[in-house]
């Protein structure tokens, strides 16, 4: 993957340009979704993204709910 910078005046972390760093990132994100060895257990990228979206939505709802109790 060749990242094409869209905003020339914004700095980009060089990790995005190294294949090994991107592979590490993908593995860590997929493991957050389904646990260790997610890739090897056959989950698709789409499944990982959908699961992370659910976690994110649940987290937002939890934050909203817990904020109501503290008032």
């Amino acid at each position: 993957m060749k990242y094409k910078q869209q905003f020339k005046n914004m700095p980009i972390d060089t990790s995005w340009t190294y294949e090994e760093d991107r592979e590490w990132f993908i593995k860590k994100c997929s493991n957050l979704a389904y646990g260790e060895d997610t890739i090897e257990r056959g989950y698709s990228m789409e499944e990982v993204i959908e699961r992370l979206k659910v976690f994110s939505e649940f987290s937002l709802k939890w934050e909203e709910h817990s904020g109501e109790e503290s008032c």
Side-chain angles (χ1 to χ4, degrees):
M1 174 182 114
K2 299 247 183 206
Y3 180 78
K4 190 173 186 180
Q5 186 173 355
Q6 296 178 14
F7 304 103
K8 297 296 179 197
N9 59 343
M10 302 287 289
I12 294 178
D13 183 347
T14 56
S15 294
W16 291 110
T17 61
Y18 296 115
E19 186 175 352
E20 287 179 14
D21 289 348
R22 287 192 312 266
E23 292 292 326
W24 173 85
F25 179 80
I26 291 167
K27 186 170 185 167
K28 291 294 184 181
C29 287
S30 63
N31 287 349
L32 286 173
Y34 288 102
E36 289 296 312
D37 300 323
T38 295
I39 296 168
E40 292 82 2
R41 291 189 288 138
Y43 288 97
S44 70
M45 289 181 180
E46 185 175 350
E47 288 173 310
V48 168
I49 291 298
E50 290 305 314
R51 179 88 170 226
L52 292 175
K53 284 180 184 178
V54 168
F55 288 167
S56 178
E57 290 168 9
F58 178 76
S59 174
L60 290 173
K61 289 177 185 177
W62 184 84
E63 285 178 10
E64 291 170 1
H65 179 70
S66 66
E68 291 172 4
E69 291 177 357
S70 64
C71 293

